[in-house]
Amino acid sequence: MSTTGKVIRCRAAILWKPGVPFSIEEVEVAPPKAKEVRIKIVATGLCGSEIKMLENKTSYLHYPVILGHEAAGIVESVGEGVSTVKTGDKVITLFLPQCGECASCLNPVDYLCIERKQSKSGLMSGGTSRFTCKGKPVYHFANTSTFSEYTVIKEISVAKIDAAAPLEKVCLVSCGFSTGYGAAINTAKVTPGSTCAVFGLGGVGLSVIMGCKAAGAARIIGVDINKDKFEKAKKLGATECINPQDLKKPIQEVLFDLTGAGVEFCFEVIGNPETVEAALASCHESHGVCVIVGLLTDVQLNISGSLFLSGRSLKGTVFGGWKSRESTSKLVSDYMAKKINLDPLITHTLNLDKVNEAVELMKTGKWQVAHIIFMSECLGPRKRCVGAGGGSKQEEMAGI
Ligand code: NAD
Ligand code: ZN
């Protein structure tokens, strides 16, 4: 039975207000409007950015809301005028859209599609939501809202990928991997033979390490206050790892001692104003480049101007500087061709109804977690979703 054009009832993790846990609820997901796509989410990661959103009580969120921005799934149906994906296609969700028409998309060196700004309202075109729960509209998040069995996303925020791609792995291309890897390759433009340091060895920081290695860096120093992160960081390319809490001197002084003149490329992948200053101060005085990858929304930086005087630079990055739609399809193909490896970034696979446990695992740092993948197929009895069909397991999950 086709679900096209019908409201789908399914389950989602809803955040009703700031400071409360997620609650798993039945939601109604409206059919996609013009230029929108309804997707059966098969796997979605929990990224450090969700933790930041929960901790910072940011003005960016409107409540109630469905979070989640790092996912892969199968197109269930498409709205009027959608031409680049069709029912049954495997896709990746993109918090950073690529409309292909705005001044940014048409500029080869710009990747920040102007359409991304609409996500701040938490609403789709026409100022409306596609989700309701208990009779109330529920806000979207980051153009994606993937902590739901089904979501509605604009066509420009969806990338079609290889039909053979394992969705429970390539969902990391949707944010964590691409952000970190691209921060090294596109934003910093790490050079062969260079020395790099990476502050924060979560899923995104490990992906920075992979990017530095792919760019030919000779020395990659991992920095984290959780020493349990070091083994994996070394497997992925870190040449050494340091815990700043074990040091008698500030980390920047130790990095200067180790390298003679500071590191050429430094990455802050935590989202902490103090480590941003330490990362910048760790850079080579004349030409060191520091890239802030960590999320610093609603945060002021207080950095000594003297750090810049000799020539260091400090820059940010969103989604690793990739033009999102075209690059993610290629990155998935690179994964399929074994040119990149996502598998070590996944340490836990949980059901979406364990979302609060996953948040605790990530927040408390008792874990060795990179990114946690939720498999929505484990959510509960199929009958809770309207429109179950026959076919393969993933097709069945897509309701097609
Ligand atoms: P994560 O929580 O898995 O990793 C953070 C790591 O930092 C942990 O290993 C933790 O032990 C370490 N850490 C915490 N405080 C530290 C300190 N004072 N010194 C050294 N290490 C410390 O998170 P993640 O998913 O890897 O995300 C990392 C950051 O990247 C987050 O801020 C997230 O919001 C941000 N992010 C940004 C973008 C972007 O487009 N710019 C995209 C995705 C994620
Ligand atoms: Zn993310």
Side-chain angles (χ1 to χ4, degrees):
M1 189 181 66
S2 168
T3 46
T4 304
K6 296 179 187 159
V7 168
I8 290 180
R9 284 196 313 280
C10 65
R11 292 204 286 173
I14 299 214
L15 204 57
W16 287 99
K17 56 183 183 179
V20 299
F22 288 99
S23 74
I24 301 292
E25 308 274 8
E26 185 167 278
V27 295
E28 290 89 39
V29 185
K33 295 199 174 180
K35 300 278 184 188
E36 294 175 358
V37 180
R38 190 162 59 184
I39 297 167
K40 166 70 194 175
I41 298 295
V42 174
T44 176
L46 175 66
C47 166
S49 297
E50 255 92 36
I51 305 295
K52 290 273 172 200
M53 291 288 152
L54 296 174
E55 282 175 347
N56 293 351
K57 302 188 175 62
T58 165
S59 55
Y60 189 78
L61 295 184
H62 310 272
Y63 297 90
V65 63
I66 297 177
L67 297 186
H69 64 281
E70 183 180 69
I74 298 174
V75 175
E76 175 271 340
S77 63
V78 300
E80 207 187 311
V82 169
S83 58
T84 55
V85 292
K86 59 179 187 321
T87 302
D89 282 347
K90 283 190 177 174
V91 291
I92 273 188
T93 63
L94 299 168
F95 67 89
L96 178 65
Q98 185 184 357
C99 74
E101 291 169 1
C102 71
S104 300
C105 285
L106 293 173
N107 182 344
V109 296
D110 192 346
Y111 64 99
L112 288 176
C113 175
I114 212 94
E115 293 289 328
R116 76 189 188 284
K117 292 188 174 160
Q118 203 197 326
S119 73
K120 283 192 181 153
S121 70
L123 295 168
M124 302 291 280
S125 310
T128 51
S129 166
R130 303 290 167 268
F131 297 111
T132 49
C133 181
K134 297 178 178 166
K136 287 189 185 141
V138 178
Y139 284 95
H140 295 247
F141 167 67
N143 292 315
T144 47
S145 288
T146 59
F147 289 176
S148 174
E149 289 179 299
Y150 288 82
T151 189
V152 177
I153 300 183
K154 285 187 183 178
E155 182 183 15
I156 57 172
S157 273
V158 174
K160 183 175 169 175
I161 56 166
D162 189 326
L167 300 180
E168 71 284 6
K169 300 276 182 3
V170 300
C171 60
L172 291 184
V173 171
S174 171
C175 179
F177 173 78
S178 307
T179 297
Y181 194 76
I185 305 265
N186 303 324
T187 312
K189 297 188 178 17
V190 167
T191 49
S194 59
T195 297
C196 303
V198 181
F199 285 53
L201 303 175
V204 184
L206 294 175
S207 304
V208 173
I209 288 179
M210 288 194 261
C212 293
K213 188 176 176 194
R219 196 168 180 191
I220 306 169
I221 306 167
V223 179
D224 201 297
I225 51 173
N226 182 349
K227 65 175 174 21
D228 293 343
K229 307 281 178 149
F230 293 171
E231 191 186 333
K232 193 166 274 183
K234 285 183 183 162
K235 273 197 190 130
L236 293 176
T239 50
E240 61 230 92
C241 288
I242 302 176
N243 181 348
Q245 293 175 335
D246 292 342
L247 307 173
K248 294 207 170 63
K249 288 201 245 180
I251 179 73
Q252 54 269 39
E253 287 180 29
V254 170
L255 287 175
F256 255 79
D257 292 347
L258 277 175
T259 57
V263 299
E264 285 151 302
F265 301 97
C266 196
F267 301 84
E268 201 279 353
V269 205
I270 303 162
N272 174 337
E274 282 159 24
T275 41
V276 169
E277 181 162 26
L280 179 64
S282 305
C283 286
H284 194 286
E285 281 176 299
S286 75
H287 60 271
V289 175
C290 179
V291 178
I292 304 175
V293 187
L295 212 61
L296 291 169
T297 47
D298 301 331
V299 171
Q300 296 293 314
L301 292 176
N302 184 10
I303 296 180
S304 165
S306 62
L307 286 176
F308 295 97
L309 192 62
S310 53
R312 292 182 181 94
S313 47
L314 176 64
K315 58 205 295 201
T317 187
V318 177
F319 197 52
W322 300 102
K323 279 188 184 278
S324 61
R325 289 188 94 192
E326 61 192 56
S327 305
T328 41
S329 302
K330 283 190 200 132
L331 286 168
V332 169
S333 301
D334 284 351
Y335 172 76
M336 299 303 285
K338 300 193 180 345
K339 291 183 192 161
I340 55 174
N341 190 8
L342 304 168
D343 304 11
L345 301 177
I346 300 163
T347 58
H348 289 60
T349 303
L350 304 174
N351 304 348
L352 185 55
D353 51 15
K354 298 275 190 305
V355 59
N356 292 313
E357 258 174 57
V359 168
E360 280 313 301
L361 277 170
M362 242 183 158
K363 268 163 79 171
T364 54
K366 286 182 203 135
W367 75 110
Q368 296 190 15
V369 174
H371 276 206
I372 299 170
I373 305 300
F374 298 117
M375 301 293 289
S376 57
E377 70 185 293
C378 313
L379 249 180
R382 286 285 304 128
K383 60 183 179 344
R384 296 198 68 110
C385 285
V386 177
S392 73
K393 196 175 172 204
Q394 289 195 333
E395 280 171 343
E396 192 183 313
M397 283 154 51
I400 54 176

